[in-house]
Amino acid sequence: MIRTQVAIIGAGPSGLLLSQLLHLHGIDNVVVERQSRGYVEGRIRAGVLEQGTVDLLIAAGVGARLLRERLVHDGFALGFDGRTFRVDLKGLTGNSVSVYGQTEVTKDLMDARVAAGAKLVFEAAEVALEGLDLARPTVRYRSEGRTHEISCDFVAGCDGYHGVSRRSVAPSAMQTFERVYPFGWLGILADVPPAAHELIYSNHSRGFALCSMRSPTRSRYYVQCGLDEKLQDWPDSRFWDELQRRMPADVANAMVTGPSIEKSIAPLRSFVVEPLRFGQLFLAGDAAHIVPPTGAKGLNLAAADVRVLYRAFVERYRTGNAGLLDRYSAECLRRIWMAERFSWWFTSTMHKFTEDAFAHRLQLAELDYLTGSTAALTSVAENYVGLPFESPA
Ligand code: FAD
Ligand code: DHB
């Protein structure tokens, strides 16, 4: 039997960041992950960090490479109706965002945890949570042919949308909210210079497309695709052709194409569970909520949960006061719903839902209004750079 203070399920960004912050504050924890370390470090996902996320990573002691290698973006572009409009994030809000891959965030956190001698269990099978309503719950898993048990004070469910934590709670104890979108994103990573210095989100009659990047020599591109699309039907040549058709002509003409080094399809979903706490179990990150990726909010929202949760644990262990833990759910859900709203709105405005020409004209009118109104643009920019926190990281 292993004994610890906080058992963390999942070694994605939420689990690793929570583990690192708790460690820095002297709180013992064990991370239990279903996949191998290599698999977790190889996953290609988010690319845009809010300043609040950057601040939290710095507070967690993993900011050095991030600050050296990130690309600071003071704006992004909206492509629609054959034109391109720059949203001046810095001018409208005073803030910028950082382009730095989730893969790199995960590597930095993993390296820091391993260097500190963290207890990380990889390739844990049949992970099960028990006694969540008892003072000391148990986490059970199988590894190397044996069953192991962790006895802890609290469980942090950081195991993503498909994880076991949320599923360990009786459905009658929770309320879930969900919207599934009738399309996905087909994404590729390629070692070619980005098509532009900043991101371009494009509304096109053929469907949405996004130009993003990871570095001055590595690009990340997405096109909206049908839910039944198969990767084998998308050779690189077809992807580049479709992307270029959906981008403004000057961007398409300047685009450098090349072989993809990764290609994947992601479905789009909005999802929230309420509350986030069930006895001694606290859900954080994608285990508790999913946003469609258009607003680049998923990873940032996960970090925002961890920011509240680690402080709550620190207060509980330092003073015995569980007030912050009691408020965890309500405090996080406010921000979660605002990010859900923004991500839903941005997705709805930029994607093709049906062949309905009326709906497309309404989207174009909305973008036309938005780009002509400083008030409307400021609202979008505020949400994109991340809503303010009440306290520093
Ligand atoms: P995850 O990253 O899902 O990690 C959960 C971990 O738990 C995984 O390692 C998993 O293997 C493990 N696990 C699962 N089940 C179990 C189990 N039973 N037992 C033990 N471990 C388990 N967000 C942004 O902020 N900006 C962006 O630009 C952005 N772009 C995105 C683009 C795409 C294409 C996608 C798919 C997502 C994007 N996101 C973005 C969202 C972001 O990637 C997620 O919100 C983020 O990964 C959430 O982190 P997490 O640690 O909560 O969950
Ligand atoms: C990326 C993903 C997003 O969802 C987004 O809004 C911006 C960038 C990316 O992977 O680079």
Tab-separated table of all heavy atoms in Angstrom, residues 259-291:
chain	number	residue	atom	x	y	z
A	259	PRO	N	6.098	17.822	-46.751
A	259	PRO	CA	5.511	16.601	-46.193
A	259	PRO	C	5.041	16.798	-44.759
A	259	PRO	O	5.688	17.502	-43.981
A	259	PRO	CB	6.665	15.591	-46.247
A	259	PRO	CG	7.903	16.401	-46.419
A	259	PRO	CD	7.522	17.697	-47.052
A	260	SER	N	3.907	16.201	-44.409
A	260	SER	CA	3.416	16.309	-43.031
A	260	SER	C	4.215	15.364	-42.139
A	260	SER	O	4.646	14.294	-42.585
A	260	SER	CB	1.933	15.940	-42.969
A	260	SER	OG	1.765	14.590	-43.347
A	261	ILE	N	4.430	15.776	-40.886
A	261	ILE	CA	5.094	14.874	-39.929
A	261	ILE	C	4.082	14.341	-38.921
A	261	ILE	O	4.399	13.478	-38.120
A	261	ILE	CB	6.290	15.556	-39.216
A	261	ILE	CG1	5.887	16.899	-38.600
A	261	ILE	CG2	7.437	15.756	-40.181
A	261	ILE	CD1	7.015	17.550	-37.806
A	262	GLU	N	2.872	14.870	-38.963
A	262	GLU	CA	1.782	14.340	-38.142
A	262	GLU	C	0.482	14.747	-38.809
A	262	GLU	O	0.402	15.825	-39.407
A	262	GLU	CB	1.834	14.912	-36.725
A	262	GLU	CG	0.962	14.185	-35.706
A	262	GLU	CD	-0.397	14.834	-35.444
A	262	GLU	OE1	-0.685	15.898	-36.024
A	262	GLU	OE2	-1.165	14.264	-34.661
A	263	LYS	N	-0.518	13.876	-38.716
A	263	LYS	CA	-1.818	14.191	-39.316
A	263	LYS	C	-2.881	13.511	-38.463
A	263	LYS	O	-2.740	12.327	-38.141
A	263	LYS	CB	-1.853	13.635	-40.741
A	263	LYS	CG	-2.981	14.166	-41.595
A	263	LYS	CD	-2.988	13.515	-42.961
A	263	LYS	CE	-1.923	14.077	-43.891
A	263	LYS	NZ	-1.696	13.223	-45.073
A	264	SER	N	-3.906	14.247	-38.061
A	264	SER	CA	-4.930	13.622	-37.211
A	264	SER	C	-6.260	14.349	-37.358
A	264	SER	O	-6.305	15.508	-37.812
A	264	SER	CB	-4.483	13.657	-35.744
A	264	SER	OG	-4.150	14.972	-35.375
A	265	ILE	N	-7.330	13.659	-36.978
A	265	ILE	CA	-8.666	14.261	-37.012
A	265	ILE	C	-9.194	14.334	-35.589
A	265	ILE	O	-9.116	13.361	-34.840
A	265	ILE	CB	-9.621	13.417	-37.885
A	265	ILE	CG1	-9.158	13.454	-39.348
A	265	ILE	CG2	-11.060	13.938	-37.771
A	265	ILE	CD1	-9.991	12.624	-40.304
A	266	ALA	N	-9.699	15.507	-35.197
A	266	ALA	CA	-10.267	15.673	-33.852
A	266	ALA	C	-11.734	16.085	-33.986
A	266	ALA	O	-12.051	17.013	-34.741
A	266	ALA	CB	-9.491	16.747	-33.090
A	267	PRO	N	-12.633	15.411	-33.269
A	267	PRO	CA	-14.031	15.850	-33.265
A	267	PRO	C	-14.160	17.118	-32.417
A	267	PRO	O	-13.280	17.417	-31.608
A	267	PRO	CB	-14.766	14.681	-32.606
A	267	PRO	CG	-13.736	14.010	-31.756
A	267	PRO	CD	-12.388	14.282	-32.370
A	268	LEU	N	-15.220	17.871	-32.615
A	268	LEU	CA	-15.423	19.092	-31.825
A	268	LEU	C	-16.594	18.892	-30.873
A	268	LEU	O	-17.641	18.360	-31.264
A	268	LEU	CB	-15.713	20.288	-32.746
A	268	LEU	CG	-14.486	21.104	-33.163
A	268	LEU	CD1	-13.560	20.276	-34.046
A	268	LEU	CD2	-14.891	22.376	-33.891
A	269	ARG	N	-16.407	19.345	-29.641
A	269	ARG	CA	-17.417	19.101	-28.624
A	269	ARG	C	-17.390	20.235	-27.600
A	269	ARG	O	-16.328	20.777	-27.298
A	269	ARG	CB	-17.042	17.782	-27.932
A	269	ARG	CG	-17.978	17.291	-26.859
A	269	ARG	CD	-17.383	16.107	-26.108
A	269	ARG	NE	-17.001	14.977	-26.948
A	269	ARG	CZ	-17.831	14.027	-27.353
A	269	ARG	NH1	-19.088	14.048	-26.983
A	269	ARG	NH2	-17.402	13.044	-28.117
A	270	SER	N	-18.549	20.562	-27.066
A	270	SER	CA	-18.643	21.397	-25.872
A	270	SER	C	-19.188	20.492	-24.778
A	270	SER	O	-20.150	19.747	-25.020
A	270	SER	CB	-19.636	22.548	-26.063
A	270	SER	OG	-19.227	23.423	-27.083
A	271	PHE	N	-18.594	20.537	-23.592
A	271	PHE	CA	-19.045	19.654	-22.515
A	271	PHE	C	-18.675	20.277	-21.171
A	271	PHE	O	-17.575	20.813	-21.007
A	271	PHE	CB	-18.362	18.281	-22.643
A	271	PHE	CG	-18.644	17.346	-21.499
A	271	PHE	CD1	-19.797	16.572	-21.474
A	271	PHE	CD2	-17.761	17.252	-20.430
A	271	PHE	CE1	-20.068	15.718	-20.415
A	271	PHE	CE2	-18.019	16.393	-19.364
A	271	PHE	CZ	-19.177	15.621	-19.364
A	272	VAL	N	-19.610	20.218	-20.215
A	272	VAL	CA	-19.312	20.661	-18.845
A	272	VAL	C	-20.005	19.710	-17.873
A	272	VAL	O	-21.145	19.301	-18.107
A	272	VAL	CB	-19.839	22.098	-18.551
A	272	VAL	CG1	-19.478	22.533	-17.132
A	272	VAL	CG2	-19.295	23.106	-19.549
A	273	VAL	N	-19.295	19.343	-16.805
A	273	VAL	CA	-19.940	18.596	-15.729
A	273	VAL	C	-20.055	19.535	-14.515
A	273	VAL	O	-19.160	20.344	-14.261
A	273	VAL	CB	-19.168	17.304	-15.375
A	273	VAL	CG1	-17.770	17.598	-14.868
A	273	VAL	CG2	-19.924	16.477	-14.342
A	274	GLU	N	-21.161	19.419	-13.819
A	274	GLU	CA	-21.340	20.178	-12.570
A	274	GLU	C	-21.807	19.215	-11.486
A	274	GLU	O	-22.662	18.368	-11.774
A	274	GLU	CB	-22.396	21.265	-12.746
A	274	GLU	CG	-21.979	22.385	-13.665
A	274	GLU	CD	-23.028	23.518	-13.706
A	274	GLU	OE1	-24.037	23.419	-12.978
A	274	GLU	OE2	-22.829	24.453	-14.472
A	275	PRO	N	-21.292	19.328	-10.265
A	275	PRO	CA	-20.167	20.177	-9.849
A	275	PRO	C	-18.843	19.533	-10.265
A	275	PRO	O	-18.833	18.542	-10.987
A	275	PRO	CB	-20.326	20.187	-8.329
A	275	PRO	CG	-20.910	18.842	-8.006
A	275	PRO	CD	-21.812	18.499	-9.147
A	276	LEU	N	-17.724	20.106	-9.771
A	276	LEU	CA	-16.403	19.552	-10.085
A	276	LEU	C	-15.872	18.724	-8.928
A	276	LEU	O	-14.801	18.121	-9.025
A	276	LEU	CB	-15.411	20.684	-10.376
A	276	LEU	CG	-15.811	21.680	-11.462
A	276	LEU	CD1	-14.708	22.715	-11.657
A	276	LEU	CD2	-16.102	20.976	-12.764
A	277	ARG	N	-16.612	18.745	-7.797
A	277	ARG	CA	-16.167	18.014	-6.618
A	277	ARG	C	-17.198	16.975	-6.217
A	277	ARG	O	-18.396	17.261	-6.163
A	277	ARG	CB	-15.975	18.985	-5.446
A	277	ARG	CG	-15.580	18.243	-4.187
A	277	ARG	CD	-15.545	19.106	-2.962
A	277	ARG	NE	-15.008	18.320	-1.858
A	277	ARG	CZ	-14.637	18.819	-0.702
A	277	ARG	NH1	-14.734	20.112	-0.504
A	277	ARG	NH2	-14.170	18.028	0.236
A	278	PHE	N	-16.710	15.764	-5.897
A	278	PHE	CA	-17.568	14.685	-5.415
A	278	PHE	C	-16.850	14.056	-4.228
A	278	PHE	O	-15.902	13.287	-4.421
A	278	PHE	CB	-17.811	13.654	-6.520
A	278	PHE	CG	-18.379	14.283	-7.775
A	278	PHE	CD1	-17.533	14.725	-8.780
A	278	PHE	CD2	-19.751	14.465	-7.913
A	278	PHE	CE1	-18.045	15.331	-9.916
A	278	PHE	CE2	-20.273	15.071	-9.050
A	278	PHE	CZ	-19.417	15.505	-10.051
A	279	GLY	N	-17.233	14.411	-3.029
A	279	GLY	CA	-16.530	13.914	-1.844
A	279	GLY	C	-15.084	14.391	-1.871
A	279	GLY	O	-14.817	15.589	-1.933
A	280	GLN	N	-14.151	13.420	-1.888
A	280	GLN	CA	-12.721	13.773	-1.872
A	280	GLN	C	-12.138	13.848	-3.287
A	280	GLN	O	-10.934	14.018	-3.441
A	280	GLN	CB	-11.927	12.737	-1.056
A	280	GLN	CG	-12.432	12.543	0.369
A	280	GLN	CD	-12.282	13.804	1.214
A	280	GLN	OE1	-13.108	14.732	1.110
A	280	GLN	NE2	-11.253	13.863	2.019
A	281	LEU	N	-12.994	13.697	-4.295
A	281	LEU	CA	-12.536	13.760	-5.697
A	281	LEU	C	-12.761	15.155	-6.289
A	281	LEU	O	-13.866	15.695	-6.207
A	281	LEU	CB	-13.289	12.724	-6.543
A	281	LEU	CG	-13.131	12.826	-8.070
A	281	LEU	CD1	-11.694	12.486	-8.514
A	281	LEU	CD2	-14.120	11.901	-8.789
A	282	PHE	N	-11.708	15.700	-6.898
A	282	PHE	CA	-11.804	16.997	-7.575
A	282	PHE	C	-11.434	16.794	-9.043
A	282	PHE	O	-10.353	16.296	-9.344
A	282	PHE	CB	-10.823	17.998	-6.943
A	282	PHE	CG	-11.209	18.359	-5.536
A	282	PHE	CD1	-10.878	17.509	-4.480
A	282	PHE	CD2	-11.926	19.501	-5.254
A	282	PHE	CE1	-11.245	17.816	-3.177
A	282	PHE	CE2	-12.305	19.819	-3.956
A	282	PHE	CZ	-11.964	18.967	-2.913
A	283	LEU	N	-12.346	17.180	-9.954
A	283	LEU	CA	-12.058	17.057	-11.383
A	283	LEU	C	-11.407	18.341	-11.885
A	283	LEU	O	-11.795	19.445	-11.477
A	283	LEU	CB	-13.354	16.816	-12.168
A	283	LEU	CG	-14.148	15.550	-11.829
A	283	LEU	CD1	-15.423	15.491	-12.658
A	283	LEU	CD2	-13.299	14.294	-12.061
A	284	ALA	N	-10.425	18.196	-12.781
A	284	ALA	CA	-9.772	19.373	-13.370
A	284	ALA	C	-9.455	19.119	-14.836
A	284	ALA	O	-9.195	17.982	-15.237
A	284	ALA	CB	-8.486	19.697	-12.603
A	285	GLY	N	-9.460	20.167	-15.640
A	285	GLY	CA	-9.093	20.061	-17.055
A	285	GLY	C	-10.159	19.349	-17.865
A	285	GLY	O	-11.362	19.402	-17.551
A	286	ASP	N	-9.708	18.638	-18.908
A	286	ASP	CA	-10.644	18.000	-19.841
A	286	ASP	C	-11.519	16.933	-19.176
A	286	ASP	O	-12.531	16.524	-19.762
A	286	ASP	CB	-9.873	17.354	-21.008
A	286	ASP	CG	-9.486	18.358	-22.092
A	286	ASP	OD1	-9.536	19.568	-21.816
A	286	ASP	OD2	-9.125	17.928	-23.204
A	287	ALA	N	-11.161	16.459	-18.007
A	287	ALA	CA	-12.021	15.507	-17.285
A	287	ALA	C	-13.338	16.184	-16.906
A	287	ALA	O	-14.372	15.522	-16.758
A	287	ALA	CB	-11.316	15.009	-16.028
A	288	ALA	N	-13.292	17.512	-16.768
A	288	ALA	CA	-14.455	18.251	-16.293
A	288	ALA	C	-15.148	19.048	-17.392
A	288	ALA	O	-16.330	19.376	-17.269
A	288	ALA	CB	-14.034	19.203	-15.170
A	289	HIS	N	-14.391	19.388	-18.430
A	289	HIS	CA	-14.980	20.250	-19.480
A	289	HIS	C	-14.194	20.144	-20.764
A	289	HIS	O	-12.980	19.970	-20.766
A	289	HIS	CB	-15.001	21.716	-19.027
A	289	HIS	CG	-13.747	22.125	-18.329
A	289	HIS	ND1	-12.582	22.383	-19.006
A	289	HIS	CD2	-13.453	22.282	-17.014
A	289	HIS	CE1	-11.643	22.704	-18.138
A	289	HIS	NE2	-12.127	22.637	-16.916
A	290	ILE	N	-14.916	20.273	-21.857
A	290	ILE	CA	-14.301	20.287	-23.190
A	290	ILE	C	-14.831	21.523	-23.908
A	290	ILE	O	-16.020	21.837	-23.790
A	290	ILE	CB	-14.733	19.035	-24.003
A	290	ILE	CG1	-14.243	17.750	-23.333
A	290	ILE	CG2	-14.245	19.116	-25.449
A	290	ILE	CD1	-12.767	17.484	-23.455
A	291	VAL	N	-13.961	22.196	-24.620
A	291	VAL	CA	-14.406	23.281	-25.510
A	291	VAL	C	-13.975	22.920	-26.927
A	291	VAL	O	-12.945	22.267	-27.103
A	291	VAL	CB	-13.788	24.649	-25.119
A	291	VAL	CG1	-14.409	25.208	-23.860
A	291	VAL	CG2	-12.265	24.561	-24.984
